[in-house]
Amino acid sequence: MKKQISKYSKFIPYLYFIVAVAYWFTDVNKNEGITAYPILLIAIPFVWQLIKPSKQLNFSLGIIFVCVSSYMILAYLIDFFNIISFPETLSNFIILGGMFVFTNFLMSLWMIRNSMKKAF
């Protein structure tokens, strides 16, 4: 049982980002229509990692999303501590946005850990 869990746990970050892109696509598609379809291009590297894993792509995705997540964490902390005041509509999403930001960061670190684990 533990062996199966560890076998499939390496796919969790990719599935998380695919689900996040799908949610983002459906949300934008409701409002914008056909212009939302380029968002689906973001999911291609994650789907590719599920089909044919690559160490270089895995490490690159991890580094890119750690950088993006770090930027989002910085923006979240600025909003949380009211360093810069944002409109009330943006402040309403502070709890859900915080969970999303920190989960993105953890999944990115998990991808880097998986690529480092394979390298050694």
Side-chain angles (χ1 to χ4, degrees):
M1 181 70 175
K2 185 177 178 183
K3 193 174 188 178
Q4 283 183 328
I5 291 173
S6 66
K7 180 181 175 184
Y8 293 114
S9 68
K10 63 183 175 185
F11 298 121
I12 292 174
Y14 310 116
L15 295 173
Y16 168 78
F17 282 113
I18 290 170
V19 168
V21 168
Y23 174 76
W24 184 27
F25 167 75
T26 55
D27 188 45
V28 172
N29 193 29
K30 287 179 199 174
N31 301 324
E32 304 294 326
I34 199 162
T35 59
Y37 283 93
I39 292 172
L40 293 176
L41 295 174
I42 296 171
I44 291 174
F46 298 107
V47 173
W48 186 257
Q49 279 298 100
L50 292 175
I51 296 170
K52 189 175 179 184
S54 166
K55 292 178 189 176
Q56 292 83 13
L57 180 60
N58 188 35
F59 190 72
S60 299
L61 286 172
I63 293 296
I64 288 168
F65 280 90
V66 162
C67 293
V68 170
S69 298
S70 299
Y71 175 74
M72 290 188 331
I73 288 172
L74 182 63
Y76 175 75
L77 290 175
I78 286 172
D79 182 39
F80 184 74
F81 292 121
N82 292 324
I83 295 172
I84 300 173
S85 66
F86 288 107
E88 185 64 32
T89 55
L90 289 177
S91 296
N92 292 338
F93 298 108
I94 197 160
I95 293 173
L96 184 61
M99 290 184 341
F100 177 71
V101 165
F102 289 110
T103 306
N104 279 347
F105 187 72
L106 290 175
M107 292 297 159
S108 301
L109 288 176
W110 195 347
M111 285 191 317
I112 292 173
R113 187 185 133 245
N114 285 346
S115 65
M116 297 296 278
K117 198 160 86 172
K118 290 179 187 176
F120 297 109

